[in-house]
Amino acid sequence: VKRINSRFLKDVESKGSYLLKSLSLLVEKYPLKNPRGMGLLLGITTEHKEPSEIVKKAMAKGILINITAENTVRLVPPLNVSYREIDDFLSRFEDTLKEVF
């Protein structure tokens, strides 16, 4: 097994921070709270009474997310995700939130 180089890990951390900051902005606009995570394993708590509705609407937009702990939306993009793909996700995710809330 090859070792993961430190440049790759720094890139994952950087993209995770970018995504986390972007999720923090969504908290100001929608009934969401507590964006958290490490690297690209992230979660955000929703105050929606039916969190599965967020998952269904997101899937219709080509986003694969799931709900954990009853009200936490879990995001797990691939480690090699690009910033462009993150921005595309954020756009689709916000569109989903607009529909749900």
Side-chain angles (χ1 to χ4, degrees), residues 61-78:
K61 295 185 180 316
I63 299 173
L64 182 59
I65 58 174
N66 69 341
I67 299 295
T68 63
E70 295 183 25
N71 62 350
T72 299
V73 177
R74 180 170 44 192
L75 315 169
V76 188

Side-chain angles (χ1 to χ4, degrees), residues 51-63:
S52 61
E53 185 70 19
I54 297 171
V55 173
K56 290 176 192 171
K57 298 274 186 186
M59 286 183 73
K61 295 185 180 316
I63 299 173

Side-chain angles (χ1 to χ4, degrees), residues 9 23 29 37-38 43 46 53 63 65 74-75 84 90:
L9 289 177
L23 290 173
K29 298 162 103 175
M38 183 181 294
T46 177
E53 185 70 19
I63 299 173
I65 58 174
R74 180 170 44 192
L75 315 169
R84 186 170 143 232
L90 289 165

Side-chain angles (χ1 to χ4, degrees), residues 45-101:
T45 303
T46 177
E47 296 176 6
H48 194 275
K49 62 183 177 198
E50 289 293 329
S52 61
E53 185 70 19
I54 297 171
V55 173
K56 290 176 192 171
K57 298 274 186 186
M59 286 183 73
K61 295 185 180 316
I63 299 173
L64 182 59
I65 58 174
N66 69 341
I67 299 295
T68 63
E70 295 183 25
N71 62 350
T72 299
V73 177
R74 180 170 44 192
L75 315 169
V76 188
L79 297 178
N80 64 346
V81 67
S82 69
Y83 283 99
R84 186 170 143 232
E85 291 168 325
I86 291 171
D87 288 339
D88 181 55
F89 161 78
L90 289 165
S91 176
R92 291 180 195 206
F93 188 56
E94 185 161 15
D95 288 346
T96 300
L97 296 174
K98 286 176 186 175
E99 284 183 28
V100 172
F101 295 111

Side-chain angles (χ1 to χ4, degrees), residues 25-45:
L25 296 175
L26 294 177
V27 167
E28 298 172 11
K29 298 162 103 175
Y30 302 97
L32 303 168
K33 61 184 178 181
N34 194 22
R36 61 200 176 277
M38 183 181 294
L40 286 167
L41 179 58
L42 304 172
I44 190 165
T45 303

